[in-house]
C-alpha cells in the first residue's frame, strides 16, 4: 500500500472514531507493525500541521483521537455556545488528585486526606464519568473503591496514568525543605 | 447584607486542613516549626469570626477544633504511663500527636498543590474539542447507586422496541390460576432437592420449572428460598447479574447423614 494512501486511511479511520483509537487497531487496519503505524501517525500529524489545518491528532487515553487546534478555541467557543458543564471546583480537583495518585482508593481514605466529607464530590465526579467504582475492598464493611476512568485521561489530555504530573515533595518551597533548613528564607506570603 | 457598608471577604476553605494550612502559611513558618498552641488559637479565632458573620460552620471544622484542643491539653498534662485505649473517636481525625497532625497536613498540601497542576492541565485541554458526533449519552442510575452509560442511537431504539415486544408477549401469556393445593410447596421442595442430589451438580433455576404457570413459578421460588433458608442448598452466581445456580449444600448433607 502506498504511503499516502496509508495516511489517508488513518485520517479517515480517526475521523470515524468517536473514542480514542488504539495504536494496535490502526496497525491492524493498515496491516503494518505498531512502530510503523506510529511513524505514519507522526507523519500525518506533520502533514496536518504543515497544511495549516484546523484539526490535529491527539494521543489521549491510550489511543489517538482527532481534535481541534487549541488556537481556535476562542472562535469555536463562541460558535458552539456554552457547552460542557464548565471547570471543576477546587474540592473536585483535590478529590480527583487523591484518586488519581492513590487509586484504587476508598471514600474513607480520600476523606482522611482531605479532612472533609466527600460524598457529594464523589457523586458529581461519578456523574461526570471522571471516576468509576471499580469494586469493593475486602475487609470490614467492604467499602466501594474508586479509580479514574478513561474519560479522566481525555479530560486532562493525558496519554495514560504515567502521564500525570509527578507528585513530588519538593514542589513547594515552604514545606518541602528539610525540617532544619528553612530559617534563612521565608516563603512569599499569600494574600487571599 | 446591605446594612453593612463594606464587604468582608473571607477566603473559602475546603476543610479544616485547608484552613490550618492557610494559617501556617500566614504565619510564614515551616509546617514543622509551627507551635501547636499558636495555631490552635488562630484556628479558634477564625471559627469565632465565622460565627460572628453568621456563617454555617461545617461540622468537620468543629471536630478539628476539638482535636486541636485535645492535642494541646495532652502537651500540658503529664504523660499517662501507657496510652489508654481511645474512646469512640471520630474517624475522620484520628490524630493523636502534633507530629501526626503535621504529617496529615503535609499530605494534604501535596494533593492540594497537585490539584493546581491538574487545574492547569484542565485549562489547556479545554481549548481542545475532541472529535464527537454530538450524540447524547444517556445515564442510568441503578438501585445500587452505580452509573451506566448507554449510547443513545438507532440501536437503543431497537432495543427499546424489543423490550416492549417482550413485555407485550409476556402480557399475552395469560397464566391460568389453579388452586394453591395443586402445587404444595413441600412437594416442590422435595422434588427440587431430589433432582439436585441425583444430578450431583449445580443447576440453573430453569431446571426446576416445569411449566410457565404462575403457581409453578411461585412455588418453585418459595421452595428454593425455603431450601436456602434451611441451608440445604447453596445459591450462587458466577458474576453479578449472572444466572442463579443452585447446588446441594454438601456440609449439611453430611451432617444429616452422620446424624442419621
Amino acid at each position: 500500500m502506498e504511503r499516502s494512501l496509508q495516511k489517508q486511511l488513518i485520517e479517515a479511520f480517526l475521523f470515524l472514531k468517536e473514542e480514542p483509537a488504539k495504536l494496535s487497531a490502526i496497525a491492524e487496519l493498515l496491516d503494518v507493525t505498531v512502530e510503523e503505524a506510529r511513524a505514519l501517525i507522526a507523519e500525518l500529524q506533520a502533514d496536518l500541521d504543515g497544511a495549516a489545518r484546523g484539526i490535529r491528532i491527539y494521543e489521549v487515553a491510550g489511543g489517538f483521537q482527532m481534535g481541534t487546534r487549541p488556537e481556535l478555541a476562542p472562535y469555536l467557543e463562541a460558535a458552539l455556545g456554552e457547552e460542557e458543564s464548565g471547570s471543576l471546583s477546587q474540592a473536585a480537583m483535590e478529590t480527583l488528585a487523591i484518586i488519581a495518585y492513590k487509586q484504587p482508593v476508598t471514600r474513607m481514605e480520600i476523606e482522611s486526606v482531605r479532612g472533609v466529607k466527600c460524598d457529594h464530590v464523589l457523586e458529581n465526579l461519578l456523574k461526570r464519568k471522571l471516576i468509576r467504582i471499580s469494586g469493593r475492598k475486602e475487609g470490614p464493611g467492604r467499602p466501594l473503591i474508586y479509580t479514574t476512568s478513561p474519560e479522566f485521561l481525555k479530560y486532562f489530555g493525558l496519554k495514560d496514568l504515567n502521564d500525570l504530573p509527578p507528585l513530588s515533595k519538593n514542589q513547594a518551597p515552604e514545606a518541602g525543605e528539610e525540617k532544619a533548613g528553612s530559617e534563612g528564607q521565608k516563603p512569599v506570603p499569600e494574600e487571599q | 447584607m446591605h446594612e453593612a457598608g463594606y464587604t468582608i471577604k473571607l477566603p473559602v476553605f475546603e476543610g479544616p486542613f485547608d484552613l490550618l494550612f492557610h494559617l501556617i502559611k500566614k504565619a510564614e513558618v515551616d509546617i514543622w516549626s509551627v507551635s501547636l498552641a499558636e495555631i490552635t488559637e488562630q484556628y479558634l479565632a477564625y471559627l469565632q469570626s465565622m460565627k460572628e458573620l453568621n456563617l454555617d460552620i461545617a461540622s468537620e471544622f468543629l471536630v478539628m477544633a476539638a482535636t486541636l484542643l485535645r492535642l494541646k491539653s495532652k502537651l500540658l498534662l503529664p504523660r499517662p504511663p501507657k496510652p489508654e485505649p481511645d474512646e469512640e473517636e471520630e474517624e475522620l481525625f484520628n490524630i493523636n500527636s502534633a507530629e501526626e497532625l503535621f504529617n496529615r497536613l503535609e499530605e494534604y498540601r501535596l494533593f492540594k498543590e497537585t490539584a493546581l497542576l491538574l487545574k492547569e492541565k484542565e485549562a489547556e485541554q479545554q481549548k481542545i474539542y475532541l472529535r464527537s458526533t454530538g450524540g447524547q449519552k444517556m445515564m442510568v442510575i441503578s438501585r445500587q447507586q452505580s452509573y451506566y452509560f448507554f449510547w443513545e442511537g438507532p440501536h437503543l431504539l431497537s432495543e427499546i422496541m424489543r423490550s416492549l415486544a417482550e413485555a407485550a408477549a409476556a402480557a399475552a401469556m395469560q397464566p391460568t390460576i389453579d388452586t394453591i393445593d395443586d402445587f404444595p410447596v413441600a412437594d416442590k421442595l422435595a422434588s427440587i432437592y431430589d433432582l439436585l442430589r441425583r444430578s450431583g451438580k449445580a443447576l440453573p433455576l430453569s431446571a426446576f420449572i416445569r411449566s410457565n404457570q404462575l403457581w409453578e413459578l411461585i412455588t418453585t421460588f418459595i421452595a428454593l428460598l425455603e431450601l436456602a433458608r434451611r441451608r440445604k442448598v447453596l445459591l450462587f452466581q458466577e458474576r453479578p447479574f449472572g444466572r442463579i445456580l443452585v447446588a446441594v449444600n454438601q456440609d449439611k448433607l453430611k451432617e444429616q447423614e452422620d446424624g442419621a
Side-chain angles (χ1 to χ4, degrees):
Chain A
M1 205 189 289
E2 253 180 78
R3 219 168 166 74
S4 63
L5 180 59
Q6 286 177 320
K7 285 190 282 183
Q8 282 177 25
L9 252 177
I10 297 176
E11 189 176 10
F13 186 58
L14 292 182
F15 172 76
L16 286 174
K17 289 287 264 184
E18 183 125 8
E19 294 295 319
K22 288 225 162 57
L23 188 60
S24 56
I26 296 170
E28 200 177 316
L29 173 81
L30 303 171
D31 195 20
V32 296
T33 65
V34 286
E35 291 80 22
E36 279 176 285
R38 189 175 273 286
L40 281 162
I41 292 166
E43 233 175 85
L44 175 60
Q45 180 76 275
D47 291 353
L48 289 173
D49 288 347
R53 300 274 296 272
I55 49 165
R56 298 193 79 236
I57 298 168
Y58 293 97
E59 188 172 358
V60 287
F64 295 86
Q65 191 172 12
M66 282 197 166
T68 61
R69 284 187 180 280
E71 310 90 86
L72 304 177
Y75 310 100
L76 290 173
E77 245 162 64
L80 292 171
E82 40 91 47
E83 265 275 295
E84 288 291 287
S85 18
S87 311
L88 293 172
S89 67
Q90 197 198 328
M93 273 299 179
E94 284 179 14
T95 308
L96 209 45
I98 296 165
I99 297 171
Y101 290 89
K102 294 184 87 136
Q103 61 183 310
V105 69
T106 66
R107 183 169 59 84
M108 269 305 300
E109 287 161 347
I110 301 164
E111 289 177 346
S112 141
V113 175
R114 289 196 62 226
V116 275
K117 296 254 174 247
C118 297
D119 26 8
H120 291 297
V121 185
L122 285 172
E123 191 91 346
N124 281 327
L125 291 174
L126 278 172
K127 275 188 196 155
R128 292 188 69 158
K129 295 202 296 162
L130 295 170
I131 58 168
R132 56 185 176 194
I133 296 167
S134 63
R136 286 177 181 277
K137 190 178 176 164
E138 290 307 323
R142 309 216 331 117
L144 294 171
I145 44 180
Y146 297 91
T147 52
T148 54
S149 65
E151 198 62 32
F152 166 83
L153 296 174
K154 278 167 85 174
Y155 189 82
F156 291 101
L158 303 168
K159 288 178 208 164
D160 51 42
L161 287 174
N162 295 326
D163 203 19
L164 278 169
L167 185 66
S168 98
K169 301 222 173 207
N170 38 34
Q171 270 157 6
E174 71 270 24
E177 309 288 333
E178 285 309 304
K179 290 178 198 181
S182 58
E183 312 97 82
Q185 39 161 334
K186 288 196 167 177
V188 187
E190 191 196 63
E191 289 308 324
Q192 289 265 11
Chain B
M1 261 189 253
H2 55 85
E3 64 264 24
Y6 55 92
T7 23
I8 300 166
K9 236 182 151 180
L10 274 183
V12 179
F13 293 107
E14 286 300 331
F17 283 141
D18 201 15
L19 170 54
L20 277 174
F21 184 60
H22 170 78
L23 293 174
I24 292 170
K25 254 175 134 177
K26 228 174 66 180
E28 297 184 24
V29 288
D30 187 281
I31 281 192
W32 300 100
S33 46
V34 155
S35 115
L36 185 67
E38 204 176 303
I39 216 72
T40 304
E41 214 157 281
Q42 287 181 13
Y43 186 91
L44 295 176
Y46 183 86
L47 286 198
Q48 189 58 40
S49 66
M50 275 175 91
K51 221 171 133 190
E52 276 160 20
L53 291 169
N54 279 323
L55 294 177
D56 280 339
I57 301 174
S59 61
E60 291 99 351
F61 284 94
L62 300 175
V63 177
M64 177 55 88
T67 307
L68 285 170
L69 287 171
R70 184 165 53 82
L71 291 181
K72 200 178 137 188
S73 64
K74 254 190 177 170
L75 290 178
L76 299 175
L77 293 168
R79 251 164 230 275
K82 57 172 182 253
E84 53 205 286
D86 261 43
E87 69 287 6
E88 270 299 285
E89 183 87 49
E90 169 76 10
E91 276 205 66
L92 209 49
F93 300 116
N94 194 2
I95 296 170
N96 290 308
S97 70
E99 199 188 354
E100 245 177 77
L101 173 69
F102 293 134
N103 271 329
R104 294 276 295 267
L105 267 176
E106 175 65 17
E107 191 183 20
Y108 173 72
R109 182 193 64 77
L110 205 60
F111 285 105
K112 186 180 157 70
E113 267 154 31
T114 311
L116 291 178
L117 293 180
L118 285 180
K119 195 92 201 144
E120 284 168 25
K121 282 252 170 210
E122 179 194 46
E124 258 170 55
Q125 194 59 21
Q126 277 181 340
K127 295 196 186 122
I128 296 166
Y129 297 93
L130 288 177
R131 163 131 176 87
S132 132
T133 50
Q136 290 293 303
K137 285 201 175 145
M138 202 173 76
M139 190 176 74
V140 175
I141 304 172
S142 80
R143 270 201 271 168
Q144 281 88 8
Q145 287 295 305
S146 38
Y147 300 89
Y148 299 93
F149 290 89
F150 292 100
W151 183 246
E152 198 177 6
H155 74 267
L156 180 72
L157 188 64
S158 68
E159 229 161 74
I160 292 171
M161 294 299 286
R162 208 188 54 218
S163 65
L164 283 178
E166 272 170 17
M173 189 191 82
Q174 286 291 336
T176 38
I177 299 178
D178 291 46
T179 53
I180 194 164
D181 300 334
D182 287 351
F183 296 95
V185 172
D187 286 359
K188 189 74 200 170
L189 201 139
S191 87
I192 289 175
Y193 198 59
D194 194 45
L195 185 63
L196 275 173
R197 281 188 63 178
R198 271 190 287 120
S199 85
K201 56 183 185 194
L203 295 173
L205 282 187
S206 54
F208 312 113
I209 299 168
R210 308 225 179 275
S211 74
N212 259 334
Q213 295 202 338
L214 189 59
W215 280 115
E216 168 74 7
L217 297 177
I218 292 172
T219 48
T220 308
F221 184 67
I222 294 174
L224 275 170
L225 285 183
E226 183 62 22
L227 281 168
R229 192 183 67 82
R230 295 190 201 162
R231 299 173 43 80
K232 291 177 89 169
V233 300
L234 299 170
L235 302 174
F236 59 98
Q237 283 171 300
E238 285 161 327
R239 59 189 161 78
F241 307 113
R243 58 181 193 162
I244 295 167
L245 296 168
V246 190
V248 172
N249 184 351
Q250 296 298 342
D251 295 345
K252 193 79 179 177
L253 188 63
K254 216 165 155 274
E255 215 173 275
Q256 272 172 358
E257 279 165 0
D258 291 349

